[in-house]
Amino acid sequence: SWGSTDSGFIFAKSGAATKVYLNSAGDSYFTGGQLGIGTASPQELLDVNTVWTGLNVDNTAAIFGNDVGTTQSRDTWIKMRASASTTDYTWAFGTNQSGEFRFNYLGTRATSPTGGTNLLKIGNTGYAEFAGNVGIGGTAANTSLYAKQTDASEWVAQFIHTGATTYGVSIDTTANAGVYNLACYTHTGTGFFVKTDGDVGIGTTSIDEKLQVEEGNIKIEGGTNSSTVGLIIAHGGQTGNTTNLVLNSSASRGHLYT
């Protein structure tokens, strides 16, 4: 059955609660099963089915947001509510007036989208910014970026620069007076380390010199080029300063030979 009031129409099963209420002057609602738009067989509470097929066609299922404002800026947000027992875990995603797409954690469903914590934003030029740690292939518990690879035949990561003036990977720790700038561990243990003062250690983390190699040999080959010098020890300081090659073998023997 159906009826009408001054504010709209009411659709209800005879003798039962109202299932559809359309109110032109206030709230409207639908409580009778699943709603299909473009389909007579909805699979979820709301099922929007587009009718266009093919590639590179305008197959927009829905539009959310306001028209372009002439006197004010406008945001568009969608809330995703979730809960465990009595605890809210509500999120919101949407676009803001600067053109960024954002994911904000709200916690309580009563919190407004702009009152939540922004954890991810994607700019309209393609940049992305995360507020917390990022895990790829695993959970980033203690590091800003954590990447895990389980395929033995693949690298964990690759950095490729195709620009005309090519730079490699930049690691900047000038704002932190910590111990290490770079650390590479091998399957046998200690690998390669660069301290924040520029000292390099191979096979050791107890680095006392600019280059320190622990329990291993250093091999320098000149190759087939006759002008290549295998090892150069030079001093670029003031005149009169000396450069020494020191054999410090402690209780063992030290040799320099050809």
Side-chain angles (χ1 to χ4, degrees):
S1 63
W2 65 275
S4 64
T5 65
D6 292 339
S7 57
F9 292 92
I10 299 174
F11 296 84
K13 186 177 181 180
S14 179
T18 300
K19 297 297 183 181
V20 179
Y21 182 52
L22 303 178
N23 188 347
S24 60
D27 295 338
S28 299
Y29 58 84
F30 174 85
T31 62
Q34 299 175 150
L35 175 62
I37 300 176
T39 177
S41 303
Q43 303 299 309
E44 303 294 342
L45 288 177
L46 175 61
D47 189 340
V48 181
N49 190 14
T50 58
V51 298
W52 298 276
T53 60
L55 299 174
N56 301 318
V57 297
D58 186 358
N59 210 17
T60 304
I63 297 176
F64 298 90
N66 298 302
D67 293 333
V68 176
T70 56
T71 59
Q72 60 184 347
S73 300
R74 300 174 179 179
D75 298 350
T76 299
W77 296 93
I78 297 176
K79 277 188 177 183
M80 308 294 290
R81 299 189 304 188
S83 62
S85 299
T86 58
T87 304
D88 266 344
Y89 297 103
T90 299
W91 287 74
F93 65 90
T95 58
N96 68 355
Q97 56 190 324
S98 64
E100 294 176 337
F101 188 78
R102 295 193 171 202
F103 288 86
N104 289 359
Y105 179 67
L106 311 182
T108 62
R109 60 192 63 191
T111 302
S112 67
T114 56
T117 301
N118 175 240
L119 298 180
L120 168 61
K121 60 183 176 181
I122 303 173
N124 54 18
T125 58
Y127 72 87
E129 181 178 329
F130 294 86
N133 298 337
V134 178
I136 302 174
T139 302
N142 302 312
T143 58
S144 297
L145 176 61
Y146 174 88
K148 181 179 180 180
Q149 172 64 267
T150 58
D151 190 336
S153 62
E154 296 293 340
W155 295 99
V156 176
Q158 286 185 320
F159 299 90
I160 301 174
H161 196 317
T162 60
T165 303
T166 304
Y167 290 84
V169 178
S170 175
I171 301 176
D172 187 350
T173 60
T174 55
N176 190 329
V179 179
Y180 298 109
N181 181 280
L182 177 65
C184 299
Y185 292 90
T186 66
H187 70 286
T188 58
T190 306
F192 174 81
F193 295 86
V194 180
K195 294 176 63 177
T196 53
D197 59 5
D199 291 354
V200 177
I202 301 176
T204 180
T205 58
S206 300
I207 308 170
D208 303 316
E209 305 295 341
K210 281 300 178 183
L211 175 61
Q212 185 167 337
V213 181
E214 188 78 9
E215 296 183 356
N217 300 325
I218 299 177
K219 185 177 182 180
I220 303 174
E221 289 192 9
T224 59
N225 190 340
S226 60
S227 63
T228 300
V229 178
L231 176 63
I232 298 177
I233 302 176
H235 196 300
Q238 297 179 353
T239 302
N241 289 344
T242 60
T243 299
N244 300 321
L245 178 61
V246 179
L247 299 179
N248 185 2
S249 57
S250 299
S252 302
R253 295 180 178 179
H255 298 279
L256 179 63
Y257 60 91
T258 61

